[in-house]
Amino acid sequence: MNSKSPKSGAARRQFIFDSAKMACGVGMLGLGLGLYAKQSKALPALALRPPGALPEDDFLGACIRCGLCVRDCPYNTLELAKPETPVATGTPFFNARNIPCEMCEDIPCVKACPTKALDHELVDINKAKMGIAVLIDHETCLNFLGLRCDVCYRVCPVIDQAITLDMVPNTRTGRHAMFLPTVHSEHCTGCGKCEKSCVLEEAAIRVLPPKLAKGELGKHYRVGWDEQKKAGHSLIDESKMQDLPDRLPEGAVLPGHYDPASGHTESARGMPGSEAGAIPRFPPGLGGKP
Amino acid sequence: MSQIAHQKRVGAEAVEEKGWLRAHKWLILRRISQFGILGLFLLGPLAGIWFVKGNLNYSYTLGVLPLTDPFVALQSLAAGHVPETLGLIGVAIVLAFYLLVGGRVYCSWVCPVNVVTDLAGWLRDRLGIKGGSSLSRHTRYWILGMTLVGSALTGVVLWELVNPISMLHRGLIFGLGTAWTVVIAIFLFDLFVMTRGWCGRLCPVGAFYGLVGRWSPVRISAPKRAACNDCMDCFEVCPEPQVIRPALKGEAKGIGPVILAPNCTNCGRCIDVCSKDVFTYTLRFNNPASTAPLVRVQTESK
């Protein structure tokens, strides 16, 4: 090194300087791109990926933005994100309220994918998890208002499994039932037909990404009745269970309350299975005694 | 007319000598290739004739021929994902093709952005815009490296977030959106900021294909370099003028006439604009150190 002439020393200095310039300049560009990449992973809640899509983190590394899935979708459900769309540029997505997934049995979009971005292991469309439908607004849903809309339930391709109508008493009228559309996440594919067909101006039921739609129990959590079923008997001796006194006003009863000590259950007014007489014969204000 | 005589335009001599058509032969063929390929892709969405599905990143022709962009596949690989079988076959076919014909044939014969930057270069010349900023032509290799390292670090096919080539090509086929702003930006950048700035200095896709064609046999050569009259027209039209000098002027140093620099795009524009027909397409092996005794070679062959 010492034997280098001043000229080669200057050249070396220049080389190091030029390299540093490049590394810094391109490094800054890379930093900007990297941060943009991180932003692009934040898929908007209402943008759904095609069936079989890998989790968003993996999807953006596997998808090569060719649009073959878009082309092979017979219902024009999918589109490729344009630069101004808040979805990573060139990647396929759909908006259920525009065009939902029709859940083709042969899943042509997955077959067309030249990468593993759409998992070719998915051969049963009912196993797809594009998202999970959530009845997000209980205030405007017609069935929650006590009407029989039922449209989301009826259009569901996995009817009676992914969406059921659960009957509960209508406490507003006191004499009717409400049939509440209830989503069961293990069967819901997230196709979005319910969201598409919701008759409201803004859909009360929407397909959301699972991480937004689902809670998660603590890993240590055990549900008593499941454990009871597994063990074949209750894990505790219920007769020795101490029930703390219910702090109620004098003379009040708690409908449907079960007292493990006595084994006695209060009757529940208006609930299924309660004595018929407890249900009022007329709605409030129409005569008769409630 | 007087203006042209006043400031002689690039290629004017060739047009005089060879006629307009022969002086634009390779340019016209190149445009036919570029627009033809784009047209094939557009036949599907516009006319419902599905010869080709997809875009330059991956396409499937007539249900038999998969073609995958190896640079996108490489970024995906860096991000930790291997394509499906068809995708891999596509990579192999495309790599084999460009290994043979020259990597940057992609740039000059296929890429739609080339039309934009060529237009900017042509207009720059016509408007007499000189100077502007400059960046080393090695910048693209740094950006190429950055996209691969970045893909590995972020797990995202990084360059595809901003790649103007796919934005334009995909945009024309699947819906442009605001991608046109990026195209205009590149046009203006090349026109006012930097001569041959995008394709010649920044684009990592071109850098990648240049490396792919490092040893490709199909080359441009200057076998009649002795006839060169130093009009400089080839240097003016060449998108990578630095590649010409060793081959054209290397006689004294014992350098053969074949342009071996991987960044030659094999566009053939130098063949067009040379009034002396110095350049031609050839194979890289056809590269004698000396081409000077032209007369003797001719007599020998008789």
Side-chain angles (χ1 to χ4, degrees):
Chain A
M1 291 294 272
N2 294 335
S3 62
K4 286 269 162 79
S5 69
K7 196 183 165 196
S8 80
R12 194 171 67 234
R13 267 179 69 88
Q14 189 62 38
F15 173 77
I16 293 171
F17 177 70
D18 285 348
S19 301
K21 197 168 77 175
M22 279 292 168
C24 293
V26 174
M28 275 183 71
L29 181 70
L31 187 66
L33 259 184
L35 293 175
Y36 181 45
K38 192 151 172 22
Q39 288 295 313
S40 71
K41 287 181 183 175
L43 190 68
L46 291 182
L48 303 175
R49 292 295 188 196
L54 298 177
E56 190 63 11
D57 252 18
D58 293 326
F59 186 80
L60 292 182
C63 172
I64 58 172
R65 285 85 161 150
C66 67
L68 268 273
C69 52
V70 175
R71 288 296 179 229
D72 282 9
C73 172
Y75 299 98
N76 290 326
T77 300
L78 298 169
E79 59 179 303
L80 292 185
K82 299 183 174 104
E84 70 274 24
T85 319
V87 174
T89 308
T91 55
F93 74 100
F94 70 101
N95 181 311
R97 190 67 167 165
N98 292 342
I99 310 177
C101 172
E102 295 286 343
M103 287 174 62
C104 312
E105 277 185 17
D106 52 344
I107 332 181
C109 50
V110 172
K111 279 189 186 154
C113 181
T115 69
K116 295 185 177 70
L118 304 184
D119 191 352
H120 289 226
E121 307 267 297
L122 180 75
V123 286
D124 176 8
I125 189 65
N126 289 314
K127 299 256 162 63
K129 272 278 168 286
M130 295 168 269
I132 293 169
V134 180
L135 209 160
I136 212 160
D137 191 356
H138 294 185
E139 292 175 342
T140 53
C141 170
L142 295 182
N143 276 37
F144 267 83
L145 294 178
L147 306 173
R148 290 300 300 275
C149 164
D150 300 0
V151 167
C152 56
Y153 162 76
R154 286 176 197 287
V155 299
C156 179
V158 204
I159 186 169
D160 282 326
Q161 289 179 291
I163 303 184
T164 56
L165 290 179
D166 288 6
M167 190 173 75
V168 297
N170 184 339
T171 52
R172 179 176 60 82
T173 65
R175 57 180 286 125
H176 299 97
M178 298 198 292
F179 292 85
L180 304 184
T182 308
V183 178
H184 302 277
S185 60
E186 74 268 34
H187 295 295
C188 176
T189 63
C191 73
K193 296 216 44 152
C194 52
E195 180 177 342
K196 169 68 182 175
S197 51
C198 178
V199 301
L200 303 185
E201 288 287 313
E202 289 286 340
I205 188 166
R206 294 180 188 193
V207 179
L208 299 178
K211 67 174 177 192
L212 283 187
K214 288 290 290 173
E216 192 181 339
L217 288 172
K219 294 272 187 290
H220 64 283
Y221 207 93
R222 297 287 175 270
V223 184
W225 49 92
D226 280 348
E227 300 298 318
Q228 186 177 12
K229 205 180 274 174
K230 265 189 256 169
H233 55 85
S234 179
L235 299 188
I236 53 169
D237 183 0
E238 287 198 12
S239 65
K240 288 192 181 136
M241 206 162 103
Q242 279 202 2
D243 193 31
L244 296 173
D246 299 313
R247 286 188 222 160
L248 291 175
E250 195 79 18
V253 285
L254 202 58
H257 176 66
Y258 167 67
D259 178 25
S262 62
H264 171 72
T265 307
E266 281 300 334
S267 68
R269 231 176 62 127
M271 295 289 278
S274 64
E275 300 98 60
I279 298 176
R281 297 182 53 193
F282 298 101
L286 289 182
K289 272 190 170 175
Chain B
M1 225 25 217
S2 62
Q3 212 185 354
I4 295 172
H6 193 66
Q7 187 196 335
K8 204 168 179 192
R9 249 195 271 144
V10 175
E13 210 179 317
V15 174
E16 259 170 49
E17 289 276 326
K18 310 195 283 189
W20 190 89
L21 206 60
R22 267 197 67 215
H24 292 84
K25 178 180 158 193
W26 293 107
L27 180 65
I28 293 167
L29 287 176
R30 234 157 33 83
R31 294 290 179 256
I32 290 174
S33 163
Q34 287 166 322
F35 287 110
I37 290 169
L38 187 61
L40 279 179
F41 276 104
L42 283 173
L43 265 185
L46 294 187
I49 305 167
W50 294 101
F51 284 131
V52 194
K53 282 180 186 172
N55 55 45
L56 285 182
N57 286 7
Y58 173 82
S59 63
Y60 202 39
T61 306
L62 294 170
V64 284
L65 176 69
L67 297 171
T68 315
D69 185 316
F71 179 49
V72 179
L74 187 63
Q75 289 174 79
S76 183
L77 197 66
H81 296 275
V82 184
E84 283 287 337
T85 319
L86 271 182
L88 286 172
I89 295 172
V91 170
I93 294 173
V94 171
L95 275 182
F97 178 74
Y98 287 112
L99 278 171
L100 280 178
V101 300
R104 294 208 62 197
V105 162
Y106 175 83
C107 303
S108 56
W109 291 79
V110 178
C111 179
V113 172
N114 173 267
V115 182
V116 177
T117 56
D118 269 0
L119 182 66
W122 175 81
L123 196 62
R124 195 180 168 90
D125 185 52
R126 286 299 296 267
L127 298 177
I129 301 170
K130 299 279 174 213
S133 319
S134 187
L135 265 174
S136 161
R137 286 189 182 265
H138 293 303
T139 312
R140 51 187 152 193
Y141 297 112
W142 287 83
I143 296 180
L144 173 63
M146 179 270 285
T147 57
L148 294 177
V149 173
S151 294
L153 290 178
T154 59
V156 174
V157 179
L158 199 62
W159 192 246
E160 282 312 295
L161 291 175
V162 293
N163 187 357
I165 302 171
S166 25
M167 273 196 203
L168 175 59
H169 191 257
R170 188 197 303 119
L172 291 171
I173 300 165
F174 286 90
L176 199 57
T178 51
W180 62 270
T181 56
V182 179
V183 177
I184 297 280
I186 285 181
F187 175 76
L188 294 176
F189 178 77
D190 264 28
L191 182 60
F192 293 118
V193 183
M194 211 178 283
T195 320
R196 297 287 174 183
W198 183 260
C199 302
R201 297 162 209 276
L202 295 173
C203 180
V205 182
F208 173 82
Y209 277 101
L211 294 177
V212 168
R214 185 74 187 75
W215 293 280
S216 64
V218 178
R219 295 280 157 175
I220 300 237
S221 176
K224 291 194 213 157
R225 55 188 174 181
C228 172
N229 63 354
D230 293 324
C231 71
M232 302 300 281
D233 279 0
C234 55
F235 287 96
E236 285 294 324
V237 293
C238 182
E240 303 276 347
Q242 79 282 2
V243 306
I244 298 178
R245 181 166 296 280
L248 187 61
K249 299 293 169 194
E251 176 77 43
K253 292 178 195 160
I255 300 172
V258 173
I259 296 176
L260 291 174
N263 273 320
C264 172
T265 67
N266 277 5
C267 71
R269 195 71 184 109
C270 53
I271 305 176
D272 282 348
V273 300
C274 183
S275 59
K276 304 291 177 202
D277 280 331
V278 166
F279 297 97
T280 183
Y281 279 105
T282 186
L283 296 178
R284 68 183 300 139
F285 320 108
N286 197 4
N287 196 18
S290 174
T291 50
L294 206 66
V295 188
R296 218 178 71 209
V297 170
Q298 276 175 349
T299 48
E300 266 176 4
S301 66
K302 270 178 187 171

